[in-house]
Amino acid sequence: MRSFLACIGLLAFCLLGMAAPAQAQQAAQAGQAELAVSDWSRQDLKAWWAGLRAIDGAQGDLPAHLQPPSDPKAWKPVRLPDVQETPRAGTEEQPAYQMRWYRLRYEPEHERWPTSLALYMPRLVTLAAAVLVRTDQGWRPVFDNQNGAREQWVRPLWVVLPAALSDLHKGKAIELVVAAPVYTGSLFAVSSVRLGPRDELEPAYNWRWGLQIGVPLATGMTLVVLGAFALSLWLKRRDEPAYLLFALACLAWLFRNLHYSLDMPSTKLALDWFWWATHASMAWVMLLIFMFALRFAHRRFARFELGLGAFVLASSLLSVPVMGRLYDSVVVLHLANAVVGVLGTAFVVRVAWREGSAELRWISLSLMAGLVLGLHDLGMLAGWWGAEHIYLMPFSTLIVLASFLYAVQCRYVGALRQNEFANEQLAQRLVAQGTALQSQHDRLRESERQQALLVERQRLMQDMHDGLGSSLLSAMVAVGQGTMEQDQVVEVLRECVDDLRLVIDSLEPVGHDLVSLLATMRYRLGKRLQAGGLKLEWDVHDLPQLDWLEPPDALHVLRLMQEALNNALKHARATRVRIVTRDLGSKIEIRVEDDGEGFDIETVQRGRGLRGLQKRAKHLGGSLRVESSPGHGTVMTLRLPVNRDSREPLDDPPSA
C-alpha cells in the first residue's frame, strides 16, 4: 500500500513539474513569434534537406527560394504553441508540403549578453526541423534535425547557438527562425520556444528530458531486472504461472518502449515494421497484465482470456505493414489497443469489486489510472491536448508495477503469516501431544510398577509357599503326630528362619553386584555354619557388574549357594567349606568346595535335587556342574554370563 501511494505521489510531483516555467523569457517570449508559410513540393523539401547537409560545417547559403520570406508582409504574429489538431480536407492541386517559419528575436535585458545562448522547445511534431540565424550575409543554419527527426515527437528540442553569434550580435538583437516542414493538412504541433542564456534554460530541458526519456529508460531497466527475477522464480516453481505472465509482460513492455532507447530505422519499410512491432506489442502488454491481475481472483476466467487473446492476435495480424494499401494500419492498432484497454480494464474492475481480493482491487485501480493516462497519450497523438504535454504511459507503467509489487508483497506477507500461524498451531499441538504422551508415560510407568509389585508379590508368595510354608506345614504335622523330636523341630524352625532371611536378602538393593549379594549371605549364615562345626573359607574377588541381576535372579543364586552349604553342613559331614569366585571374561564362576565324605554322582543324578539345581542355573542363563566321589568331598561350580540377552522360564522351581 505504501509503495502504491508513493508511486501516485511521485507521478503527481512529476506532472506538476511539467508545468514549471522556464527561467528565461526575455526578448523572445515563450508564446510570442511571427509566422510565415511557404508551400513546397517534395522536390523543394528534398532540395532543402540536401542544401542543409551541403553547408553543414562549412560557410554557405541556401538558395533564395528555400530561405525564409524577405517580404515583411509575409510575416504575421502567431501565438505559440501552434497546433493543428485534425487533418483538413485539401485538393489535388494543393502542394504536398508546407514550410512553417517561426521567427523570434532575442535581445538581453540591460545589454548584458550571456556567454552562451540556447534554444529550448518542449515538443515539436513535424518533419525534420532546422534553426537559422540571420547574419550580415543572410540566413545561416545553426541546427539541422534530420538525423533525429524520427525521435523528435518524444524528445525535447535543444539547440546551443554558436558562441561566435553572440560576439557578432553584441549590441543588437539576434533574429532567429525555426523552420518546421509539415505535410499539408496533416497534424502538427509546435510548442512554445524559449530563447535565452544556456545556464538558465538547461535545467528546464534536463527536467523535460528526464520525464520524457529518463523515466522510460529507468522503467525499462527496472522491468528487465524484475522480469528476469520473475522468470527465475517460474523456472523453480512451474506450477505458478503468475511468475511467467509477469516476466512476459515485462519483456513485452520493454519491447514496446524500444523507441525511447533506440534510433529508429532510416528506411521507410524498416520504419513501418518497427512502428508496427512497437504499437502491436502494447495490446500484448495489456493482455498479459490482465491475465496476471486475474491470478489474484478466486477463480479462473479462461473464456475471457482466450477471447481477448484471439482479438489481440487478430488485430496484430490485420495491422501488419503489408495491409497498408487497404487501410491505415497504425489507426487499426490504436483502435485495437483502445478496445483491449477499455474491455480488459472494465472486466478486471468488475471481477475485483465483485469477488476479488484486496490486492486485485488495488490492481484494478491502477489499471483504471493507466487507462486514463493511455487515453491521454492517444489524445496527444491525435493532437487533442496541449502541445507541451508529455506522454504519460511510462508513468502508468510505474503505477501498475507498484500495484503488482504491492499485490505480490501482500501475497508474500500473507503466506508468511499463514506459515507462522501454522507453526503456532503445530507448536500448540506438539505441546498438547507432549503433555498427553507424558501423562500416558506416567500412567504406563505406574502400571508397570503395579505389575512389578504384583509379580514380586506372587513370586514371594510362591517362594514362601513352596519353601517356608511347606517346611512349617510338614513340621506341624509331624509335631501333631508326635513323630518329631524337639531337636528336629528346632532344626526345622532354624531352616525356616534361614529361608526367610534368604528371601529378605534377595530383596536388598545390591546394585547388580554379585559380590555384595554373596557377602550378605555370608553374614546371614556365618554363625549357623560355625555352630555346626563348619569352617568357612572366603576366596571371593571383585567381579564385573551383572546388569541382569534383579531380585528374582538374586534369590535363585542364593538358593543355589544355600543348597550347596546345606549339603556340606547336613549330609557331607565336612569340617571345611570354601567359596571361590573367578572372572572368566564373558562369564563369572562361583565354586563351593567342601572336604566331606562325598557321594556317588550317578546315584544322585537319578534324584530330583540335582536336576532342580541345574534347572535354576539354566534359568539364570548359566550352567551348573557338580563333582564328587565317595571320600573325596564335593565341588559345585556355577558359571553365569556377564551379559545375558534372554533367559528360559523356570516352571515350578524346586524348594531348597
Side-chain angles (χ1 to χ4, degrees):
M1 180 64 181
R2 293 179 179 176
S3 60
F4 182 72
L5 294 178
C7 189
I8 296 294
L10 176 61
L11 176 61
F13 175 74
C14 294
L15 295 179
L16 290 176
M18 292 188 300
Q23 290 87 340
Q25 294 183 359
Q26 297 185 15
Q29 297 296 325
Q32 297 176 357
E34 291 180 313
L35 171 65
V37 178
S38 301
D39 293 330
W40 280 7
S41 64
R42 183 166 183 79
Q43 289 72 20
D44 293 333
L45 186 61
K46 287 184 177 181
W48 159 263
W49 285 338
L52 291 177
R53 287 192 295 269
I55 64 176
D56 187 19
Q59 294 293 335
D61 295 322
L62 291 168
H65 69 284
L66 299 180
Q67 292 190 12
S70 58
D71 185 3
K73 296 181 180 180
W75 296 91
K76 297 180 180 180
V78 64
R79 182 89 181 162
L80 298 179
D82 184 16
V83 179
Q84 181 169 297
E85 299 179 358
T86 57
R88 294 177 299 182
T91 63
E92 295 182 358
E93 291 78 11
Q94 286 182 328
Y97 300 93
Q98 280 186 351
M99 173 59 77
R100 302 181 69 84
W101 311 94
Y102 295 90
R103 187 168 63 180
L104 306 141
R105 291 174 58 84
Y106 174 77
E107 186 174 1
E109 296 180 356
H110 311 297
E111 297 184 357
R112 297 179 58 183
W113 281 84
T115 57
S116 179
L117 286 175
L119 179 143
Y120 163 60
M121 297 182 66
R123 186 163 175 253
L124 185 62
V125 182
T126 62
L127 300 177
V131 177
L132 295 81
V133 176
R134 183 187 292 276
T135 65
D136 295 338
Q137 292 79 25
W139 293 99
R140 176 184 174 186
V142 295
F143 175 77
D144 177 11
N145 196 32
Q146 293 183 64
N147 292 332
R150 285 177 291 273
E151 294 82 24
Q152 181 176 279
W153 66 279
V154 73
R155 298 183 182 181
L157 189 67
W158 176 252
V159 180
V160 178
L161 301 179
L165 292 177
S166 300
D167 296 335
L168 292 174
H169 290 80
K170 283 184 178 180
K172 58 182 179 179
I174 292 179
E175 190 173 352
L176 179 145
V177 166
V178 176
V182 298
Y183 289 107
T184 300
S186 67
L187 304 177
F188 65 85
V190 178
S191 68
S192 60
V193 181
R194 295 176 176 87
L195 181 63
R198 175 179 178 178
D199 56 349
E200 295 182 5
L201 292 179
E202 195 163 15
Y205 164 74
N206 291 334
W207 180 257
R208 176 85 181 196
W209 191 96
L211 290 178
Q212 193 68 79
I213 307 298
V215 170
L217 292 177
T219 303
M221 295 304 298
T222 304
L223 291 176
V224 169
V225 175
L226 293 178
F229 177 70
L231 182 61
S232 66
L233 291 179
W234 178 76
L235 292 176
K236 295 293 184 181
R237 302 192 61 178
R238 300 292 182 88
D239 57 335
E240 294 287 346
Y243 296 126
L244 178 60
L245 292 173
F246 186 83
L248 293 177
C250 291
L251 178 62
W253 188 255
L254 181 65
F255 194 81
R256 169 69 181 88
N257 288 340
L258 285 179
H259 54 275
Y260 286 105
S261 54
L262 298 179
D263 290 336
M264 298 184 191
S266 57
T267 64
K268 185 179 186 305
L269 180 61
L271 183 62
D272 290 340
W273 281 98
F274 179 85
W275 277 121
W276 171 82
T278 54
H279 283 85
S281 60
M282 188 63 210
W284 292 99
V285 170
M286 291 187 290
L287 172 64
L288 293 169
I289 287 177
F290 297 147
M291 294 177 65
F292 175 82
L294 291 176
R295 290 302 179 276
F296 291 90
H298 299 306
R299 60 189 179 96
R300 300 279 73 85
F301 300 91
R303 295 178 60 185
F304 168 77
E305 294 176 358
L306 290 175
L308 191 62
F311 178 81
V312 171
L313 178 61
S315 63
S316 299
L317 294 177
L318 291 175
S319 60
V320 294
V322 294
M323 300 297 217
R325 297 179 181 178
L326 302 178
Y327 44 79
D328 192 341
S329 60
V330 176
V331 174
V332 173
L333 282 176
H334 288 326
L335 290 176
N337 292 340
V339 171
V340 171
V342 172
L343 292 181
T345 302
F347 186 83
V348 172
V349 170
R350 174 178 174 272
V351 172
W353 293 97
R354 282 193 174 186
E355 54 184 287
S357 60
E359 297 91 340
L360 183 57
R361 292 180 180 179
W362 282 111
I363 291 177
S364 67
L365 291 177
S366 69
L367 292 178
M368 292 173 63
L371 179 62
V372 172
L373 299 183
L375 294 177
H376 168 272
D377 287 1
L378 286 179
M380 287 191 63
L381 292 175
W384 298 340
W385 319 129
E388 298 189 11
H389 285 205
I390 67 171
Y391 290 96
L392 300 179
M393 281 302 293
F395 300 96
S396 69
T397 305
L398 294 178
I399 297 175
V400 175
L401 181 61
S403 68
F404 283 2
L405 295 179
Y406 169 72
V408 173
Q409 177 194 17
C410 291
R411 183 68 61 89
Y412 177 72
V413 172
L416 287 181
R417 290 176 178 173
Q418 291 180 357
N419 188 36
E420 292 174 355
F421 179 75
N423 289 337
E424 291 177 359
Q425 294 292 105
L426 180 60
Q428 293 176 2
R429 289 197 296 268
L430 288 176
V431 171
Q433 291 180 359
T435 303
L437 289 175
Q438 182 64 36
S439 177
Q440 184 177 1
H441 177 69
D442 294 341
R443 289 195 300 270
L444 182 61
R445 288 185 60 185
E446 180 63 20
S447 177
E448 291 177 348
R449 189 181 69 84
Q450 295 294 337
Q451 183 68 22
L453 291 176
L454 179 60
V455 171
E456 190 67 16
R457 186 181 298 110
Q458 291 176 348
R459 183 184 67 82
L460 292 176
M461 291 175 62
Q462 183 69 31
D463 286 340
M464 296 183 71
H465 176 270
D466 295 340
L468 181 61
S470 178
S471 298
L472 289 176
L473 182 61
S474 300
M476 183 180 67
V477 173
V479 170
Q481 294 176 352
T483 59
M484 182 176 289
E485 300 293 335
Q486 181 179 359
D487 293 340
Q488 293 176 335
V489 173
V490 172
E491 182 64 23
V492 170
L493 293 176
R494 184 179 291 113
E495 290 179 357
C496 290
V497 172
D498 291 340
D499 191 72
L500 180 61
R501 289 175 176 174
L502 194 70
V503 173
I504 295 174
D505 289 341
S506 68
L507 298 176
E508 291 291 332
V510 295
H512 310 290
D513 187 0
L514 185 60
V515 174
S516 299
L517 183 65
L518 296 177
T520 302
M521 183 196 68
R522 177 187 178 187
Y523 173 76
R524 294 290 190 186
L525 301 179
K527 292 183 179 180
R528 184 184 173 195
L529 294 176
Q530 187 177 3
L534 189 62
K535 181 180 179 182
L536 178 62
E537 296 182 0
W538 190 259
D539 189 12
V540 175
H541 301 276
D542 291 337
L543 297 175
Q545 297 287 323
L546 303 180
D547 295 335
W548 51 266
L549 188 60
E550 299 294 341
D553 300 316
L555 182 59
H556 288 308
V557 174
L558 292 177
R559 287 199 182 281
L560 287 171
M561 296 297 101
Q562 182 188 37
E563 186 69 20
L565 294 176
N566 282 341
N567 288 335
L569 181 63
K570 295 169 57 177
H571 306 294
R573 297 179 183 179
T575 59
R576 180 180 60 84
V577 64
R578 182 167 178 259
I579 298 178
V580 182
T581 61
R582 293 290 182 268
D583 182 3
L584 303 181
S586 62
K587 295 182 179 181
I588 61 171
E589 183 180 87
I590 306 174
R591 292 201 312 273
V592 180
E593 304 172 353
D594 67 64
D595 59 353
E597 296 178 352
F599 56 89
D600 186 359
I601 294 295
E602 296 298 329
T603 302
V604 175
Q605 284 182 348
R606 288 193 290 268
R608 295 181 57 190
L610 186 57
R611 288 199 303 272
L613 295 176
Q614 289 176 341
K615 194 171 183 180
R616 287 185 184 275
K618 188 175 181 181
H619 173 76
L620 294 171
S623 61
L624 180 70
R625 186 179 62 183
V626 178
E627 299 174 304
S628 182
S629 61
H632 294 87
T634 302
V635 178
M636 186 186 75
T637 303
L638 174 64
R639 288 186 176 182
L640 300 173
V642 175
N643 297 312
R644 186 182 67 186
D645 295 333
S646 63
R647 64 183 180 187
E648 294 188 5
L650 180 60
D651 299 330
D652 190 20
S655 63

